[in-house]
Amino acid sequence: MPSSERRVDTRATLSFAQQRLWFLDRLRPDRPDHNVPAAVRLRGPLDRGALVEAVTEVVRRHEVLRGRVVVVDDSPYQVTESVDTFVPTLTDLTALPPAQAEERAHELVVHDAATPFDLGTAPMLRARLIRIAADDHLLVLVIHHIAADGWSLSVLWQEFSAAYRAAVSARPVELPELPVQYEDFAEWQRDHLTGPALRDQLAHWRERLAGRIPSAFPTDRPRPALWSGRGDQVELRIPAELTERVRALGRTHEVTPFMTLLAAFKVLLAHSSGEPDVPVGTPISGRTRIEVEPLIGFFVNTLVLRTDLSGDPSFTEALGRVRRCAVDAYAHQDVPFERLVEELRPGRDLGRHPLFTVMFQVEGEPALPSGLPDIEVTAHQVPYDIVKFDVEVSLTDCGDRFTGVVRYATDLFERATMEQLALDYAELLGRLVGSPERPISAWEPLLAPRTGPAGPADRPEAGPAAGQDTGRDAGLDAGQDTGQDTGRDAGQDADQDAPDGAPPTETELLVLEVWAEVFGVAPGGVRDDFFELGGHSLLASRVMSRLSRTLDLELPVTLLFYHPTVAELAQGIDAVLLADLDSPDSHPALIPAGEDQQP
């Protein structure tokens, strides 16, 4: 992977994953959905100047942390700014009584974690040092996901620790220079993911994800038209004795603890949903090149795991099926999830995540700063009430036991439902591990399928098969220009499809003109559908940017996803012009006909 010489203010390509987050930020702006918060308590004689110097050194080393996104010709690029753009905040609460200082510190942590980033303004890292007492501090970092992932936090704390030790002893930092920067990876990724290798991997995923994608859990409430991200969590604990049995069973059958835990979860899904092959998402580091291992950046990829548990297999057989599924997925992990969504084009739906609705992961214990002279470091829990999926099961391998949480969308589930799910999972895991030779149906009476008021997006007929090319995406991919021939004559009269033979309105003519610029060929008429013409998220962003500039009006990208034809989009634009509303979320044109927005 070559390294390139870049000056400050030089444009660089975004990675596929970064481009997707940029689009999501445009789709639903001013939200903290992709903030990555981390906080540590530091007790002891802290050198605050050395701490600021250490955090600044990390920002200096990793260009992605001091980047911002610029839009040129309606396409996003990253620009690196100087390290001077990073200015930590120092907050002194020592004048307050101890109890009030603690309360105020908690409020600041919540505030910082929930404050959105402006992707057009550097840096992508915010830092606040809160002085609670003379020898008691709280360091709060918030990074936008476009610049970091879970692995990155380990890199950050390791470098921060080395830089702090150097600063307090007034000596140079002994950290090797980075061989490449994240921008080098982004350029390499764009060049590398082409040709036969990409086609072979895409073919694998098309086959694995073909057919209807079944829903995971029956919901307690109908699915809202727009995903709010509101969430909560319940604890999930696996006793030490059961943890050891999980490891022993894995050693016997040559599967990892992750595979054993996932197999039990898939059995739970099968019982709860009545479906034998519910897809589950899981993160993978995405760092397949040794050069990127020491980098902070957004490398993590998402794999979709479908395991057919039909035929009432034993749990031993289920373990084998999960193992084969996972190994196949690892062998084809190079395809970014964003590229996969672009290829499969699941039905567009702003109320759910595409391709899967349940996430499952097993992680090691989170990294912390280490070796800080005379400083006791402990993790500080950051309250976070945002979810990206219906259900997210996150387990932590603590060595002697597994602990974790079940996060869930509060728009869909009651807390009692998720508390029962956590209890059911732990009990089912114990039974399966205790008698792995028995068929998985042996435990079905324990977990009779629940029924719930499935919303429109949960009904099987609501969306097309995952492998079916609908010409529409879920608004979550990050594709490239198409320039494809739509099969229409560019000179064909645009008014032939107008209702009742009426000529196109001024707004419809404007939409037709902009679509022709973006697609490189004129649409046939006002009933043409943007996504059926080959439109995707990046083109949608370009269309709405050009319309916004022409009309001198801020038009949300969401408008095009709910009004995909020329005529519908023109009507939506006219409604925005007439209503002159400030908030796109409150605009009636953004809600599909016949659906109510949930509170």
Side-chain angles (χ1 to χ4, degrees), residues 364-422:
E365 293 189 86
L368 293 173
S370 60
L372 307 188
D374 302 317
I375 300 296
E376 177 192 351
V377 181
T378 56
H380 182 85
Q381 205 62 33
V382 180
Y384 206 52
D385 57 0
I386 294 174
V387 294
K388 301 180 182 68
F389 310 94
D390 292 7
V391 177
E392 304 171 7
V393 178
S394 181
L395 291 169
T396 300
D397 188 344
C398 301
D400 64 332
R401 67 184 64 234
F402 294 102
T403 62
V405 295
V406 178
R407 300 185 181 94
Y408 63 95
T410 54
D411 287 345
L412 302 177
F413 299 102
E414 300 285 354
R415 182 178 180 85
T417 299
M418 292 296 106
E419 289 175 336
Q420 187 61 49
L421 183 147

Side-chain angles (χ1 to χ4, degrees), residues 508-545:
E508 287 171 346
L509 288 172
L510 174 61
V511 172
L512 285 166
E513 179 183 344
V514 171
W515 285 22
E517 292 176 3
V518 169
F519 284 115
V521 60
V526 299
R527 294 179 184 171
D528 275 7
D529 185 296
F530 177 82
F531 298 100
E532 291 177 358
L533 293 176
H536 48 66
S537 59
L538 186 56
L539 293 185
S541 180
R542 290 175 178 171
V543 163
M544 299 311 291
S545 291

Side-chain angles (χ1 to χ4, degrees), residues 40-48 51 134-137 160 164-165 168 369-378:
V40 292
R41 196 73 175 252
L42 305 169
R43 291 183 171 91
L46 182 72
D47 185 330
R48 292 186 293 277
L51 182 141
D135 59 351
D136 190 1
H137 294 77
F160 164 80
Y164 179 84
R165 291 192 296 269
V168 295
S370 60
L372 307 188
D374 302 317
I375 300 296
E376 177 192 351
V377 181
T378 56

Side-chain angles (χ1 to χ4, degrees), residues 32-307:
D33 296 9
H34 301 286
N35 288 6
V36 181
V40 292
R41 196 73 175 252
L42 305 169
R43 291 183 171 91
L46 182 72
D47 185 330
R48 292 186 293 277
L51 182 141
V52 170
E53 188 177 332
V55 180
T56 304
E57 173 63 12
V58 175
V59 175
R60 183 198 68 79
R61 286 171 55 81
H62 298 273
E63 295 176 0
V64 70
L65 293 177
R66 44 193 167 92
R68 62 186 177 92
V69 179
V70 299
V71 179
V72 179
D73 295 331
D74 299 317
S75 294
Y77 299 90
Q78 179 164 283
V79 170
T80 300
E81 297 290 354
S82 72
V83 72
D84 296 338
T85 61
F86 174 69
V87 180
T89 300
L90 305 178
T91 304
D92 193 333
L93 303 179
T94 55
L96 299 176
Q100 290 185 24
E102 287 283 353
E103 182 179 358
R104 179 56 182 154
H106 176 77
E107 291 173 351
L108 289 170
V109 172
V110 173
H111 171 271
D112 288 357
T115 300
F117 279 84
D118 175 6
L119 295 186
T121 303
M124 292 296 108
L125 166 66
R126 298 194 298 259
R128 183 194 296 269
L129 180 64
I130 305 173
R131 189 186 186 203
I132 301 172
D135 59 351
D136 190 1
H137 294 77
L138 191 58
L139 175 60
V140 186
L141 303 181
V142 185
I143 316 174
H144 196 283
H145 201 4
I146 204 168
D149 52 21
W151 180 306
S152 299
L153 291 178
S154 177
V155 174
L156 186 153
W157 288 132
Q158 184 179 37
E159 293 192 356
F160 164 80
S161 300
Y164 179 84
R165 291 192 296 269
V168 295
S169 60
R171 57 178 174 78
V173 182
E174 296 180 359
L175 287 171
E177 285 301 314
L178 298 171
V180 294
Q181 291 285 336
Y182 184 84
E183 292 88 343
D184 299 315
F185 163 78
E187 293 179 8
W188 171 85
Q189 183 190 56
R190 296 282 181 173
D191 295 337
H192 176 70
L193 289 175
T194 58
L198 176 62
R199 288 196 296 270
D200 290 346
Q201 294 217 13
L202 284 173
H204 166 83
W205 289 111
R206 277 196 299 270
E207 179 182 353
R208 294 295 301 160
L209 301 179
R212 185 176 66 88
I213 298 291
S215 294
F217 294 104
T219 59
D220 295 322
R221 287 185 283 275
R223 185 179 297 276
L226 295 175
W227 183 261
S228 75
R230 290 187 291 265
D232 198 359
Q233 66 182 38
V234 298
E235 288 191 359
L236 196 166
R237 294 186 179 277
I238 298 174
E241 178 272 333
L242 178 53
T243 297
E244 179 51 39
R245 286 196 287 137
V246 166
R247 296 191 192 281
L249 183 65
R251 289 192 294 268
T252 300
H253 295 282
E254 299 183 335
V255 297
T256 64
F258 166 76
M259 294 174 185
T260 304
L261 295 166
L262 175 61
F265 185 66
K266 282 184 168 285
V267 174
L268 176 66
L269 282 177
H271 285 331
S272 296
S273 67
E275 298 280 357
D277 66 342
V278 176
V280 173
T282 194
I284 191 167
S285 73
R287 298 179 187 240
T288 58
R289 301 275 303 206
I290 193 171
E291 304 97 309
V292 304
E293 289 186 3
L295 295 186
I296 291 173
F298 185 17
F299 296 94
V300 67
N301 197 13
T302 302
L303 302 179
V304 187
L305 306 180
R306 289 190 75 170
T307 308

Side-chain angles (χ1 to χ4, degrees), residues 13-20 146 182 185-186 189-190 298 478:
T13 303
L14 296 183
S15 69
F16 287 110
Q18 285 183 313
Q19 186 171 292
R20 172 176 173 253
I146 204 168
Y182 184 84
F185 163 78
Q189 183 190 56
R190 296 282 181 173
F298 185 17

Side-chain angles (χ1 to χ4, degrees), residues 418-473:
M418 292 296 106
E419 289 175 336
Q420 187 61 49
L421 183 147
L423 293 173
D424 287 345
Y425 174 68
E427 184 170 355
L428 178 64
L429 176 66
R431 293 180 180 233
L432 292 169
V433 170
S435 300
E437 73 286 349
R438 298 187 64 182
I440 60 175
S441 64
W443 314 119
E444 192 164 1
L446 172 71
L447 297 164
R450 291 191 312 108
T451 57
D458 291 318
R459 301 185 188 119
E461 69 272 19
Q468 178 180 344
D469 186 358
T470 66
R472 302 183 179 189
D473 62 25

